[in-house]
Structure formats: C-alpha cells, structure tokens
Amino acid sequence: MIDTVKPKRLTVSERGPAGSYIIVPVARIAEVREVLDSQNVPYYVDEITISLDGKPPVVFVNLNRKVDPLEVQTLLDARL
Amino acid sequence: MSLRDNIAAHTRGILADLESAHDYFENSKTAWRIVQQYVDDGGKLKVDNATTGSVTTELELPGKAQLYVRQYLASSTFQQFVSLFEDFLFGVMRLWLLAYPQSLGRKQISVSVVLEASDLDAVKLAAVNRELNELNYKKVREWFTYLNGLVNLECPTAEEIDRLAEIKATRDVTVHNRGIASPTYEEKAGPLGRAKAGERLEIPEQYHRDAWQLIRKVVQDISTAAIAKAGTS
C-alpha cells in the first residue's frame, strides 16, 4: 500500500476591503496560477517568498478587489 | 569638488535612498505577511490602541494588513520615489546653474538679496534657488525642456518623460486629492492617464515596481550624461 499525503487545502482570505488573498506554498504556485488564469481571475503574486522557522516557503496571491472570494474558493476546491 | 564629482556624489546619495525606500517597502510588506501567516496558522492576538481606543484582534488584523500593504505602504513609498526623483533632478540643475550661472544673466533679483548676501556665491545661490523654485511649479515636461536648455543630455526619451509626467501626476493626486483622479490629473498625465476624473487611482504592485525602475534608470542616465558633459559645456 502506498501512503499519499493530501496537500493542505488552500483558503481564500475574505477579510477586509483591500481584496482577498491566498497563501500558497511556492511549490504549488504554478497550479494555482493555471486555475486562476483558466477563469480569467485578475490577481498578482508578491515578489517576495517567505519561509518561517525552516518551513517550505509560501507566497501571497493577491486577488483584485472586485473578485468574489467565495467563487475563487469554490474554484480552488474543485480543481486542486 | 568639481561639478562632475558633485553630480556623482549627489547621484550616489539619491540611488542609495531609492534602494532603501524599496527595501523598506518589501521588508514592511514581509512583516505584515508574517502576521497574516501567523493568524492563518491559528495564532491569536489583541492590540489595544490607547490613543484611539480601538481594539484589533486576529479577526480584523489580516484584512487591515492587506489594506496597509496594498494601499498605505504602496502609496507612501511611491511618494518617496517621486520625491527622490525631484530631489535628484533639481539637485543636478542647481549644481549646473551654480557652475554655469551665465544663463541667469538676464534674470533680475531684488536689491535686498544683494544687500543681505555675505558674498557673490550667496547672491548666485539665491538667484539659482529662485529660478528653480519657479520651475518646480511647472509641468514635468517643462522641467526637461529647461534641463536640456541648460545642457543637451539627449535623455530621457520622450516616452520616458511621458511616463514620468503620469507618475508625478499620480503622486499629486495621492498627496492632494486622497487618491481620486481629477481633471488636473487627466491633463497632466496625458495619453498615459490610468483613471478618469472621479475614479480612484490605484498603485498596483507592478506599477509601483515599474515606477521605481524607471526613476532609477532615468537618474542613472541623466547622471551619466551630465557627468560626461560637465567641463565641456
């Protein structure tokens, strides 16, 4: 039997008026981009990546203010 | 110090401050990103602001942090980039005019300036400062017309000047009109305008980065060209 570890669910932050964001492990940024691009979701990715306490680095994906975070969450849940 | 040395020293200072400003932007953003991750990982916090009486917890801070990063931080550092650019350009023109004041020969200054001056250099400096103060209120495109009237540097390009004019217009809207584009913005920004009057003028990260890179390039180009011409004009 082969054990597989399911990757952590990516969640879209819904807080605040400045637009939502997603904290994405750098190793998964390509697939997240692909999903967002496939639905023409406007976003940009931070230039910086952050690794805390030696954990794998993450990067912030910033969604346009007008994007509905719930729609993007549904999209990520369905595709990733 | 020679004019060349003065321009080189002025340029080094401006470039160092430009890099510091961009580092401040990225490092401050990093600090907020760490806070957002901390909360995303289940962290709790409570901040009491004794001055305003406001209380912020892990429920509000990530959203506020996003606003601080995307709006306040981007806006304040962008303003700093533009201020540094103005400091650079007017600094170069000041150095040039002090070295070659003949172009001010037909300008008039009041007798009181002469009477209060300790020596001829003080008179020159007063005349140059007055000239540049007047120029500062004119349009960006006129700044470069003036500069190239002093010494033909063959830079920046017309396209770069248009972009700088839009950047300066964005800075003016940010400082004087709470980020809402005005008819004055439309007129100053010209064909590169990014918003109509009444619309919010955003400073997206890509624009922020492009503005910094353009300003750094133009500073380097003008400095190189001016140093090459100093002593030959």
Side-chain angles (χ1 to χ4, degrees):
Chain A
M1 194 175 104
I2 300 172
D3 287 335
T4 56
V5 179
K6 193 176 180 191
K8 185 184 170 190
R9 178 177 182 248
L10 297 180
T11 54
V12 181
S13 157
E14 299 171 43
R15 301 180 177 102
S20 302
Y21 59 87
I22 316 165
I23 303 175
V24 180
V26 171
R28 301 186 66 190
I29 190 63
E31 56 182 320
V32 171
R33 278 182 182 277
E34 194 179 323
V35 170
L36 297 177
D37 290 344
S38 70
Q39 298 299 313
N40 296 316
V41 177
Y43 69 93
Y44 72 86
V45 180
D46 275 1
E47 281 187 72
I48 51 172
T49 61
I50 301 171
S51 171
L52 286 179
D53 300 328
K55 293 178 192 165
V58 298
V59 67
F60 276 63
V61 174
N62 303 275
L63 302 177
N64 186 287
R65 289 170 202 261
K66 292 173 183 168
V67 170
D68 179 352
L70 294 177
E71 282 185 18
V72 176
Q73 186 66 65
T74 304
L75 182 64
L76 294 178
D77 290 342
R79 299 276 296 274
L80 296 178
Chain B
M1 255 196 331
S2 70
L3 176 57
R4 290 177 186 202
D5 290 343
N6 277 327
I7 293 173
H10 177 54
T11 305
R12 280 196 300 275
I14 293 291
L15 289 175
D17 285 353
L18 266 177
E19 288 191 11
S20 292
H22 203 277
D23 284 343
Y24 167 73
F25 171 71
E26 291 293 4
N27 293 338
S28 302
K29 189 167 73 176
T30 300
W32 282 119
R33 292 318 195 197
I34 290 170
V35 169
Q36 289 171 309
Q37 275 190 79
Y38 171 75
V39 173
D40 193 62
D41 290 340
K44 307 282 184 197
L45 56 86
K46 182 168 178 266
V47 182
D48 285 295
N49 184 338
T51 305
T52 63
S54 68
V55 177
T56 308
T57 72
E58 70 278 1
L59 297 177
E60 303 91 20
L61 195 56
K64 288 187 176 181
Q66 190 70 356
L67 182 69
Y68 300 157
V69 167
R70 291 187 69 165
Q71 197 163 311
Y72 296 174
L73 188 58
S75 170
S76 64
T77 49
F78 176 80
Q79 288 172 44
Q80 209 175 344
F81 302 162
V82 179
S83 294
L84 285 167
F85 175 69
E86 286 184 46
D87 278 357
F88 168 76
L89 190 64
F90 281 79
V92 168
M93 289 193 282
R94 180 172 291 104
L95 290 170
W96 200 274
L97 283 168
L98 287 172
Y100 303 108
Q102 295 83 351
S103 66
L104 300 180
R106 291 182 177 276
K107 302 284 179 176
Q108 294 184 338
I109 53 172
S110 60
V111 173
S112 63
V113 170
V114 179
L115 295 177
E116 288 166 15
S118 54
D119 54 24
L120 184 58
D121 282 345
V123 176
K124 263 200 296 188
L125 183 60
V128 167
N129 283 339
R130 184 181 153 177
E131 176 83 350
L132 294 179
N133 285 342
E134 287 175 8
L135 181 65
N136 195 247
Y137 286 100
K138 295 184 177 172
K139 294 175 182 169
V140 170
R141 292 175 183 86
E142 292 176 74
W143 295 354
F144 289 105
T145 304
Y146 186 89
L147 173 64
N148 281 299
L150 291 178
V151 51
N152 186 12
L153 299 178
E154 296 174 1
C155 67
T157 66
E159 186 255 339
E160 287 170 339
I161 291 173
D162 284 346
R163 287 178 61 200
L164 288 167
E166 192 285 322
I167 287 168
K168 173 66 164 57
T170 293
R171 175 264 175 204
D172 292 346
V173 162
T174 306
V175 172
H176 301 300
N177 211 34
R178 301 176 68 205
I180 307 298
S182 60
T184 308
Y185 166 79
E186 289 188 278
E187 194 251 322
K188 286 179 181 172
L192 297 182
R194 298 181 298 115
K196 302 283 182 200
E199 293 177 353
R200 173 163 286 284
L201 195 54
E202 304 279 359
I203 303 178
E205 186 148 310
Q206 178 77 44
Y207 175 83
H208 185 271
R209 182 168 59 241
D210 290 348
W212 186 87
Q213 288 173 337
L214 175 66
I215 287 170
R216 186 181 60 170
K217 177 185 183 298
V218 171
V219 166
Q220 288 172 326
D221 289 351
I222 289 176
S223 176
T224 302
I227 288 170
K229 295 245 175 164
T232 63
S233 292

